[in-house]
Amino acid sequence: TKRRFPWKMIIQLLKIVLVTGQLVWFGYDRSSHVNFLIKSTVSFKHLFLQGWDPAYETLPYPAPLGIFAIYTIDDFYLKLNHAWKMYNEVWPNSIGSFTPNAKNHTFPPMYLCKTFFRDGWVNPRNGSYSLHNQPVEECIALTKSDCEFWNNTTNSTEYSYDIKEYLQKINKTIDFDSLVKMEFKFSVRSVHLKNFDLGRNEAECFDFNITILLDNSAYSGQMPVTLDADANPFICYEEDEIDDTEDDISLAFIVYDIIVIIFSVTSTILCSRSLYRAQRLRSDTVMFFKKQRGIEMTLDDRMQFLNLWFIMIIINDIITVIGSIFKIVLALIAGSFIYIPSTVDLYEMCGLTLGTGSLLVWFGVLRYLNFFEKYNILIITMKRSFPDVLRYLICALIIYAGFTFCGWVVLGPYHVKFRTISAASECLFSLVNGDDMFVTFSVITGNDNVYIWYYSRAFLYIFISLFIYIILSLFIAVITNVYDIVKHYYQHGGFPETDLS
Amino acid sequence: TKRRFPWKMIIQLLKIVLVTGQLVWFGYDRSSHVNFLIKSTVSFKHLFLQGWDPAYETLPYPAPLGIFAIYTIDDFYLKLNHAWKMYNEVWPNSIGSFTPNAKNHTFPPMYLCKTFFRDGWVNPRNGSYSLHNQPVEECIALTKSDCEFWNNTTNSTEYSYDIKEYLQKINKTIDFDSLVKMEFKFSVRSVHLKNFDLGRNEAECFDFNITILLDNSAYSGQMPVTLDADANPFICYEEDEIDDTEDDISLAFIVYDIIVIIFSVTSTILCSRSLYRAQRLRSDTVMFFKKQRGIEMTLDDRMQFLNLWFIMIIINDIITVIGSIFKIVLALIAGSFIYIPSTVDLYEMCGLTLGTGSLLVWFGVLRYLNFFEKYNILIITMKRSFPDVLRYLICALIIYAGFTFCGWVVLGPYHVKFRTISAASECLFSLVNGDDMFVTFSVITGNDNVYIWYYSRAFLYIFISLFIYIILSLFIAVITNVYDIVKHYYQHGGFPETDLS
Amino acid sequence: TKRRFPWKMIIQLLKIVLVTGQLVWFGYDRSSHVNFLIKSTVSFKHLFLQGWDPAYETLPYPAPLGIFAIYTIDDFYLKLNHAWKMYNEVWPNSIGSFTPNAKNHTFPPMYLCKTFFRDGWVNPRNGSYSLHNQPVEECIALTKSDCEFWNNTTNSTEYSYDIKEYLQKINKTIDFDSLVKMEFKFSVRSVHLKNFDLGRNEAECFDFNITILLDNSAYSGQMPVTLDADANPFICYEEDEIDDTEDDISLAFIVYDIIVIIFSVTSTILCSRSLYRAQRLRSDTVMFFKKQRGIEMTLDDRMQFLNLWFIMIIINDIITVIGSIFKIVLALIAGSFIYIPSTVDLYEMCGLTLGTGSLLVWFGVLRYLNFFEKYNILIITMKRSFPDVLRYLICALIIYAGFTFCGWVVLGPYHVKFRTISAASECLFSLVNGDDMFVTFSVITGNDNVYIWYYSRAFLYIFISLFIYIILSLFIAVITNVYDIVKHYYQHGGFPETDLS
Amino acid sequence: TKRRFPWKMIIQLLKIVLVTGQLVWFGYDRSSHVNFLIKSTVSFKHLFLQGWDPAYETLPYPAPLGIFAIYTIDDFYLKLNHAWKMYNEVWPNSIGSFTPNAKNHTFPPMYLCKTFFRDGWVNPRNGSYSLHNQPVEECIALTKSDCEFWNNTTNSTEYSYDIKEYLQKINKTIDFDSLVKMEFKFSVRSVHLKNFDLGRNEAECFDFNITILLDNSAYSGQMPVTLDADANPFICYEEDEIDDTEDDISLAFIVYDIIVIIFSVTSTILCSRSLYRAQRLRSDTVMFFKKQRGIEMTLDDRMQFLNLWFIMIIINDIITVIGSIFKIVLALIAGSFIYIPSTVDLYEMCGLTLGTGSLLVWFGVLRYLNFFEKYNILIITMKRSFPDVLRYLICALIIYAGFTFCGWVVLGPYHVKFRTISAASECLFSLVNGDDMFVTFSVITGNDNVYIWYYSRAFLYIFISLFIYIILSLFIAVITNVYDIVKHYYQHGGFPETDLS
């Protein structure tokens, strides 16, 4: 068929450039935003957790250390006292501009909450216990004055951070046998200055609701200590603002986003038109066949009229438009034009949509490579091998599901890589592709249960051999086969003709 | 053949759902159980081993640290004194509800056992030694009063934990030249509260028999220190139990397990019937051929009557029934209906049977995919390539066995991944599949024996090249070939017919 | 065609030996040079950075520790004071022969530079801030006398290194809210004795401009501390030089390099001549076809006259000559015959050119293997599969680009392996080839955003399955296909003939 | 051809059992021997190296720490003083039975050796230096009395280990500018009790010559500290030996070894006979063809008479016999029947020969599988694809060599995996097989030279793509092709006949 001036192609190619440009800029902006949140949490861990070590900040797997936990009651109070002290002294001791979330110039208290079984007790000596109801939570507020005292020798106000002593003073005790968890809750404010290396002095303001959790719910003598910082943005304003180059820059970005939206909408309209025309042609043809030849067209033949490329491009455009709108909203927030409380999730949603949009935009290019014969062979092979591969994947997935469940149940408690169902699946998937095999074997040592040791060896050898030697090889066989067929048709004048021709 | 209403299929599909549900619940329960045991052991290491570091709690390979060991005599006594002190003070110093296993309100002693050569001595100066018999063990009991003393200045009972001094007092010495190993043995009780996040306040009680082993059997100056906690369950009872929702929940699970058993038994009966019918048909056919045509049927033809799918399903059902019975027994124990001393192994056995059962249940689904032609091709290919692959695996395994033994003997002492025969096999298996290659090379450095260095290079290059470039490629060739044959038969009207048709 | 005495081949083979020899010697020399610079930087970190740990000197990935940073203001001054003290005492406290870069016998000061917002302030309590202009830098010189004081008790000059106190004395303050970064700048000299194990006592002299950077630009409370040592060579001279064997050795190397140049030039001339002759033949042929048969030769046919091997060899020769000239210049510098300020980059450029030259020289050998039929098949297959593979790579790259951008934007902030676009690309490339899969999954844990968790799983499963199961398999299909064709032609009398024959 | 009773096969199969049994026993024995040496060296590091950390005892790659080194002069003396002190107090402070190598009841001195440039000096301030000759070594003996002094307050002999003070006392100085290396040399004796868990109380005695090296030869301010323990066995004797079960056991093992030798010799004789017969048949045939048909047999045809299996078995037998003889000698040494000074190398040689022997014995089994048709196909495919694969490997190796040299020169100084030529080769080999890819990328960070960064990316992407996508795929193509041919011949009545038939 003759082709008119390829408007659609030009638009698609321009879209790639535009969308990628938009993406890259957004990526840098978001990276700065998320980095601040992550780094701040690291700072809190260094400030508030006594004994925190930079080795805990590396990859979760392979971890260089066991979990951060406490085992003795002395250590328990040490951790609590340190957090209490650091909260009261975070300003001005910390390098970050963290201040307690003080309203009305009063220093806000921190809350010490214990979750425990009321009237519960445990007597391991004879194995008796009593746990009537569900655990309840009880909080006390620790104000700054609670730790203040007058030092007579130095004649000055001093602070003594001793939770144990304080609890005794207010007639509270902690019974570790019935304790489920202990939480320290407080809130800290911070300002994130950003983009000043780009000539823009922007800022984001956050309330961090920090929770230090000492978790005794496993009752195993090991009490993991974690710190969680939940960031809530609040609006901050620049005083004495003079120039407005910043606003100009923000505006430029908004205009850019609008251009992307215009392109996407145009592209959607063009593709919809094509789809619509094809559908009209289809109904005409169906009618023709029915009337003239008295035969009903098959579903497969009808599907020939539905161009999946156009559908993909339309989905892509919709996602891109949504992402761009999110981005404009974020720009408006950053420029203080509008105010929306939780921008954190907006960033996530914008990232997800723009990222997925970009992925599909690149896929769309394949459509245009399709017009060159040599490329066509490859794309056709991919397309035609898809159903076979998918069918085959289903067979493989059933066997895989069996191994995943079995591995999770049998090896899970002894093997860090099978601890959850999703981890077990990821581990087996990695093994199929040749990753981390020796480590997977070595995690279960002879010191563990000997049955488990034998089972794990049999399990892993059989699983890996089965998948790599049979199932992966069969993939290659399937695709080689399809390629041969496609190649053969090309050399002998195209694919066998359908009823339509 | 026409198919009646597919009872068997419905039952199999329901079985998948039921068995997987059962498995998932059991998995979570067992995970909590095993986790408690593992975490408790970690707690004991932190409590009783002086100098224990969380870095020892990570993966055994790649280990971030060398082994936990002592090298000087001062360190030896430091470790012993710490363990003695901590045992006497574990309650109430530990966060876990650990108490010494006190019967009759007396504080039980801990036992210090040394295994040594009686009258043995070693004189490295001139290389003479004398070791008459086999090593003997000698234990002394360390009671709490052994370390008590009256402090005159503070007028209070204090405790001094000094094993060296105490041994001198009772006229015992430790001669490190003839010492084989030193053990510290004591017992600690604990209660595991569990499932209260599910509304059930259950508990398990355990006696942990703890052994701290300082092992000098290598006589190399390095004395590895290990702690082993052997958990023995004992029955614990809840006082003042009011509601019985817990019992209801336990009952519900038992009913669920019984339903699984009923399904499995039904499935077994149906499959056995089919097998029986096929066998009757077979004997009829054999008779017919013998009488009418005078020919003996071949074993291969006879095997055609044996449906391996049914056999697999029957095995599967038996395993599932056994696993479900284990599970019911565990539920009865948890509900305190019956009492069996060692539930630890029951959990293991239940996990192994349920896991294997689930694996086979999923395999069984393939049988029903088999009825669709497109899937059939793939499953047939897998099935038909199996004998070839197996035969081929035998050839590969023979070469592999040679490399495993050779690698273990030659590289074993210098290479952590060849230390045991099973590790050597796992290492080579991982290498074949592309894992951890550079690390395997790098473990043997030029600082080791230079012959070994050259040998290891030659060994690894040849092994990997041989297996990846020739043997793995041949797998692909074999399977591609089988796939081509199967495909060809499908396109030309089915498989060649046998005598029977 | 008959072959005369194979001058070109002899020259090529000699070139391999010569170039490889030259390369190996240069490699050892350069390695010693670069090692000194790297090791010196490590020494500076140990000397000037308080709290530096050897664990920071391992691989950047997987890092055993989080980044080297400070979090409290006390720690900030601790780091500064330590660096100040060590600079003043580096001689004679360090093992290396490091001395401050003292001109005219005065002890040079070190410079403390802060970059900050003038009149900027931040008030996190209510989220107001004021940042008028861009950050400015302000430096103060810290001379040795600034920390000197007279100790009356010991009657001696002592040194007190307390930056905080000193800043107060000179009325300077550090406001961390408006601080962008803090830098400590100083310069240290060192002499690198080398090659004395080869009987040559050579030396290189360097000025190290050291910058300790405490970077607050992220305003997250975490202030990463880095040390950067910029090496500037300066000429050093040996006193009382007696023998001149060293010069002889240097000369020998220069002669060797010149021989390499001569060989390369000869090889270029021979190849150019062949190319020229082929071109003349081509124009004759084109003329002939046009005149005699009236047909225009196609571009493909014309390209047949252009021997790509010769072009590769010529490029190779040019690169080798450039590299050799660099090497001669370096030898002249080492022998103090000439003086060029910055030899650091010369070493790099020489390494790059010689290395690339050597790579191409080895490629050139393939040309001669080409003359044997059995090898020819393989090389031809490689050559003929190249265009298909390349075309296929383009398709794959487009999909790959989509995944790279999408992965970077969506996963980047949460995943260390997607932090930059190049890292994301390397990570995906490694995944395609089966590397580091489980780790890649595990970096994103359920504790992060739950959308991201699901997205990452979907992203990775789809990407890996698509690339390994379809795209990689198709590579094998393409190449198997080409090999079959090539093999077929060989067995049936060569390739189909072109117009020319 | 008809087969007589398969003596050769029976002998080969028995040999597998015998040789593997021999190997396993030897493996355990050797493992205990080498383990003792390795563990002792670890003990020495813990005893004599101040600041030694168990993290240095893990894998050399990926290392959890930078190298063990010192940077300041204070640290230098700290290390020396510690080693001096520990040597004088190793007995009885160490757990191992280590004693100084005391002859004639005198306590042997330790030697402190410095290697330095006599009259050499360096002045980094102006870059002048003077190094006349080669470095020389100078040792001083440190006896125990050198550190003895009389403490007046406690009225007892005390020891002060201060090398710096001592050197001043004897008018020696250490000039770090001209220092090449510092060594501490001393000797320690130890007894290795072994095999008492097998009922045998055996012992090995060793002199460990220990050298602590502080290496300044890089002059970079970093002085790596290493400890090397060279083990020399000496004879030790058991006093008051009573029973002789030990000798009986030793004898049993010697008898076992002799049986292995007998089997190997028999196997050699049988195979030689077969080879001889085949050669006689060959010369007859050659004669026949020459005389009767006047044609000269080709080399290929003649090679048909040479059974490579037999040659492999003969080589295998010879290696096994040598290994068994080594093993008997070791048993005689262990039983104190004969005395040979250095048994360390004997163990190595015995391990190498027995290991290689075992490898070949397993290969030999393939010959007997060859007799079954189905297995034959696979072995023939392997055999016939061998020359093609080898030829192809040569092409690949040439390209590979180019990349190895180039990678070593260009990336070597910046990349731990390209530091030596052998490491570069191992790294590239691992990359081809899909290992450790991301780590290899990540080692070179943007902080290094930016040219190197770009070069490394281009280098790695091109190398990996070329090898995995083209070269590895071609392997599969080659082998699939050979398999198809072999399969085809089998289905159509065997291989094409040669002249001989």
Side-chain angles (χ1 to χ4, degrees), chain D residues 34 60 65 117 122 236 249 274 342 352 355 378 473 500:
Chain D
V34 179
L65 290 178
F117 287 99
V122 158
C236 48
I249 298 168
S274 299
S342 172
L352 289 176
L378 296 161
S473 299
L500 284 173

Side-chain angles (χ1 to χ4, degrees), chain C residues 30 36 39 43 46 54 58 92-93 95 97 189 196 236-237 239 348 356 362-363 425-426 435 479 484, chain D residues 63 66 71 73 125 127 129 134 177 219-222 391 398-399 409 414 436-438 455 457 461 469 481:
Chain C
R30 175 161 176 250
F36 172 73
K39 291 281 167 70
S43 297
H46 276 274
T58 55
N93 266 344
I95 279 172
S97 54
R189 294 201 140 183
F196 48 84
C236 49
Y237 59 96
E239 287 190 2
E348 294 310 326
T356 313
W362 283 93
F363 277 12
S425 163
E426 290 152 20
D435 182 45
I479 283 168
D484 285 349
Chain D
Y71 301 90
I73 289 172
R125 276 168 215 266
Y129 67 100
Q134 288 312 299
D177 288 342
Y219 285 100
S220 61
Q222 184 190 53
R391 254 192 299 274
I398 286 166
I399 306 180
V409 161
Y414 301 95
D436 233 12
M437 216 164 277
F438 186 75
Y455 199 90
R457 262 60 190 167
Y461 276 122
Y469 304 148
N481 208 284

